Amino acid sequence: MSQSNDPIDPTPQQDRRGFLVSGAVVAAGAAGVAYWNRQSRPNSSVFIARNQKYDGELVRTIREGLIACEFDPGWVTGKRVLLKPNLVEPSRLAPHMTTHPAMIQAAAEVFRGWNAEVTVGEGPGHVRDTEQALLDSGVMEALHDAKLSFADLNYQQVRAVGNVGRACALKQFYFPQAVIEADLVVSMPKMKTHHWMGMTGAMKNLYGVIPGCKYGWPKNVLHFNGIPQTVFDINSSVGRTITIVDGIDCMEGDGPILGTKKSMGLVLVGQNLTAVDSTLCRIMDILPERIPYLALAADKLGPVSESQITQRGESWRPLVDPFLLLDRDHLRGLRAAKTHFVT
């Protein structure tokens, strides 16, 4: 299929081309959103469900997980919810690389059941042809089956929003229209290792709200400004977020693209992305405080310390199963034991 710069929308309702919007969102307004998120201390409970399957009761698991983490279903009624899966570089040969379509459908059913307006959106980091990414991941069929609209975050209209975190040199971020208009962004990552950061989860997944039409592929502008710093800054600036993690079939080794499948059968849910990512690390036998972007986020965007995170559902300790990491200088210090490294 030939590549196209046109956004893909199974239920098109607006101009498909998209263009850059002149002007900017007032920085103080954007700062107010992120400041509220920090100061109100979003719930730091993390819910874990084990023995999960893609053809199982995912709707029930996600619903119960959100409620266990004190998410208020009444708050979301009538609001716009953007589900943001990970479709970084889909391949039919490696479905464990990207968020499974069943997870997306289940999350949509939960929020629709609470009378929210649900859209799925993603800006694949390595693929310019979003339609091909949707097809290769199986998400296109899932969108049609569930009658879900899709926002191509790589090519949508954008607005400039002030960089609230200011850990990197970028003064602002361009966010797509669907992100700007969302009342809630739901990060839906795949539980994976990462060849630069050690692991990638809910926080790193928000790289996909940054449009390729402004930042390139694979979002090199962000990379050049520091991955830990830009992950922190995007999460500081994007508005209200929660996360639902696909930890059923995961990836270890040379992630986030070239790694191997590792089946864990887990679903994690939480209102605070930092707390959930820290819990993912512990299950993977990685020290969360040594992940650079979690070190930046600690006690600013959320807790990293186990003592500050309330456990819901299953305990993480019996679930620990070390994920293979690449044997590289910058990754060797991420776990206490010098084992489970691969070349």
Side-chain angles (χ1 to χ4, degrees):
M1 178 179 295
S2 61
Q3 290 189 344
S4 168
N5 286 347
D6 290 337
I8 310 303
D9 187 347
T11 56
Q13 298 176 346
Q14 58 186 5
D15 176 20
R16 290 170 58 85
R17 171 60 63 179
F19 56 90
L20 305 185
V21 178
S22 61
V25 173
V26 178
V33 173
Y35 182 81
W36 180 90
N37 275 338
R38 292 197 300 275
Q39 293 300 312
S40 63
R41 298 292 182 184
N43 185 280
S44 297
S45 298
V46 176
F47 173 87
I48 307 173
R50 67 190 306 175
N51 299 323
Q52 298 298 296
K53 299 178 181 180
Y54 294 122
D55 60 354
E57 296 184 346
L58 291 177
V59 173
R60 178 179 177 181
T61 296
I62 292 170
R63 183 189 298 118
E64 291 181 352
L66 287 168
I67 292 173
C69 292
E70 300 178 25
F71 183 85
D72 179 10
W75 176 86
V76 83
T77 297
K79 290 187 167 59
R80 289 170 289 197
V81 174
L82 180 67
L83 304 181
K84 197 286 173 191
N86 182 337
L87 304 180
V88 58
E89 190 175 317
S91 169
R92 296 181 187 275
L93 300 177
H96 53 283
M97 187 194 314
T98 52
T99 307
H100 196 281
M103 292 289 297
I104 300 170
Q105 287 182 319
E109 184 173 338
V110 169
F111 287 107
R112 281 174 162 177
W114 292 335
N115 297 312
E117 178 186 331
V118 180
T119 300
V120 179
E122 165 69 313
H126 291 201
V127 181
R128 293 174 183 263
D129 187 342
T130 307
E131 183 175 10
Q132 191 65 52
L134 291 174
L135 288 169
D136 288 345
S137 63
V139 171
M140 178 71 85
E141 182 179 354
L143 294 174
H144 281 294
D145 288 347
K147 295 181 173 58
L148 285 165
S149 62
F150 179 79
D152 187 337
L153 304 185
N154 273 335
Y155 297 107
Q156 263 200 342
Q157 297 176 344
V158 301
R159 293 182 185 175
V161 173
N163 177 2
V164 177
R166 295 300 178 95
C168 77
L170 297 174
K171 291 182 170 55
Q172 62 188 17
F173 291 107
Y174 290 97
F175 286 143
Q177 178 181 339
V179 176
I180 293 288
E181 294 179 348
D183 297 296
L184 179 68
V185 176
V186 184
S187 181
M188 299 191 67
K190 175 71 77 170
M191 185 177 181
K192 297 190 286 187
T193 54
H194 194 283
H195 54 204
W196 289 331
M197 291 294 99
M199 67 81 66
T200 176
M203 292 181 67
K204 178 67 168 61
N205 186 48
L206 291 187
Y207 254 34
V209 305
I210 298 296
C213 67
K214 291 291 290 184
Y215 292 83
W217 286 264
K219 315 291 172 76
N220 282 328
V221 173
L222 303 179
H223 293 170
F224 295 154
N225 280 273
I227 295 176
Q229 292 81 6
T230 50
V231 168
F232 173 81
D233 286 348
I234 291 167
N235 278 265
S236 299
S237 306
V238 76
R240 182 166 182 178
T241 57
I242 64 173
T243 184
I244 300 167
V245 181
D246 179 358
I248 297 177
D249 286 339
C250 309
M251 179 179 285
E252 64 180 351
D254 193 6
I257 295 170
L258 300 176
T260 55
K261 177 180 174 180
K262 185 179 182 71
S263 295
M264 295 291 289
L266 302 177
V267 170
L268 285 82
V269 176
Q271 293 202 63
N272 187 282
L273 277 60
T274 303
V276 173
D277 278 0
S278 297
T279 303
L280 287 176
C281 284
R282 294 186 170 95
I283 294 172
M284 299 165 79
D285 191 31
I286 293 172
L287 299 169
E289 65 273 13
R290 297 187 186 179
I291 299 296
Y293 62 80
L294 287 178
L296 282 172
D299 300 322
K300 299 181 182 71
L301 298 182
V304 170
S305 171
E306 180 188 359
S307 64
Q308 295 178 291
I309 300 172
T310 303
Q311 191 75 55
R312 305 292 186 190
E314 302 287 341
S315 171
W316 66 266
R317 291 183 181 277
L319 303 175
V320 174
D321 189 353
F323 277 50
L324 295 175
L325 295 174
L326 289 180
D327 190 11
R328 301 289 188 271
D329 288 342
H330 65 286
L331 300 178
R332 292 186 189 116
L334 295 184
R335 57 172 38 125
K338 305 303 179 183
T339 59
H340 297 94
F341 290 91
V342 293
T343 57

